[in-house]
């Protein structure tokens, strides 16, 4: 059944469909016909799921694969769940606890449960990368502090090509962030 411990992980992805994680799958359920489709790009339990309505993309994060690589996040479209973009994380990251795609669809952010509570930024556009089943490399990473991040929220008015503003929530914290990207010199 539905994993209720994955916070903010039940999303309407169309007028009739919802998406939610179960083990290493994300179920896409048509609530009227009761028919299910699946996103099967994960290799371990899905820990988080976010939805970008404007670009019709989901981002989901998983636990690490024991003894092999680190955890990963996947960006995919519910319209084509068989194609996706991989966002691999370092082996010591343990799991991806929260993820989001910016409103403009050009930046993805993931948070992990390693000792540093690291975060990673990825640059898109992700729709094309998902269609090509690409594997991307993060453009920036840092430490978010001592507490685990359970949700990240990006808002339309707060994001631009040079600034990323977002809010995170977790056990014992509510943080507002501003990251300024360096401008290319002419």
């Amino acid at each position: 059944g539905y994993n209720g411990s994955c916070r903010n992980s039940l999303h309407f992805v169309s007028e009739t469909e919802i998406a939610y994680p179960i083990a290493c799958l994300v179920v896409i359920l048509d609530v009227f016909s009761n028919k299910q489709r699946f996103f099967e790009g994960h290799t371990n339990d899905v820990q988080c799921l976010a939805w970008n309505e404007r670009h019709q993309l989901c981002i989901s994060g998983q636990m690490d694969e024991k003894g092999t690589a680190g955890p990963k996040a996947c960006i995919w479209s519910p319209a084509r769940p068989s194609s996706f973009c991989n966002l691999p994380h370092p082996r010591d990251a343990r799991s991806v606890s929260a993820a989001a795609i910016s409103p403009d669809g050009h930046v993805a952010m993931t948070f992990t449960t390693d000792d540093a509570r690291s975060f990673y930024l990825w640059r898109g556009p992700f729709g094309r990368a998902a269609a090509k089943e690409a594997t991307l490399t993060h453009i920036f990473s840092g430490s978010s502090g001592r507490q685990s991040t359970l949700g990240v929220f990006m808002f339309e008015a707060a994001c631009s090509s040079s600034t990323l503003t977002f809010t995170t929530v977790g056990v014992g914290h509510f943080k507002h962030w501003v990251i300024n990207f360096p401008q290319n010199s002419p």
Side-chain angles (χ1 to χ4, degrees):
Y2 172 67
N3 182 356
S5 68
C6 292
R7 292 163 181 85
N8 193 31
S9 63
L10 179 65
H11 300 276
F12 270 94
V13 296
S14 75
E15 292 291 321
T16 63
E17 292 180 316
I18 58 173
Y20 58 93
I22 293 182
C24 64
L25 298 173
V26 178
V27 176
I28 306 159
L29 171 68
D30 186 305
V31 295
F32 292 114
S33 69
N34 205 30
K35 291 188 179 177
Q36 296 179 345
R37 297 180 296 122
F38 304 96
F39 172 68
E40 302 177 87
H42 288 289
T43 54
N44 206 338
D45 289 353
V46 176
Q47 300 295 298
C48 60
L49 174 66
W51 167 243
N52 180 305
E53 185 173 8
R54 182 196 295 170
H55 293 277
Q56 302 289 293
L57 292 171
C58 285
I59 183 170
S60 47
Q62 71 174 52
M63 296 176 68
D64 68 341
E65 298 179 60
K66 299 295 182 216
T68 59
K72 69 177 180 177
C74 298
I75 296 178
W76 51 279
S77 169
R80 293 189 57 207
S82 60
S83 296
F84 60 95
C85 176
N86 274 310
L87 308 177
H89 292 70
R91 176 176 279 175
D92 63 347
R94 294 189 193 129
S95 70
V96 177
S97 62
I101 301 172
S102 65
D104 67 4
H106 292 285
V107 176
M109 174 165 272
T110 57
F111 286 80
T112 62
T113 60
D114 59 356
D115 291 338
R117 307 296 192 234
S118 300
F119 68 89
Y120 298 85
L121 293 176
W122 316 78
R123 178 100 45 193
F126 300 109
R128 277 183 259 156
K132 294 179 184 177
E133 298 186 25
T135 298
L136 300 179
T137 303
H138 66 276
I139 59 166
F140 181 80
S141 65
S143 173
S144 66
R146 286 183 245 155
Q147 298 97 356
S148 292
T149 297
L150 303 174
V152 56
F153 304 94
M154 298 181 189
F155 302 98
E156 184 77 39
C159 296
S160 71
S161 61
S162 62
T163 302
L164 181 65
T165 304
F166 57 95
T167 301
T168 60
V169 294
V171 177
H173 85 272
F174 180 93
K175 294 181 185 175
H176 186 70
W177 301 67
V178 177
I179 295 177
N180 293 309
F181 295 113
Q183 294 298 307
N184 295 337
S185 52

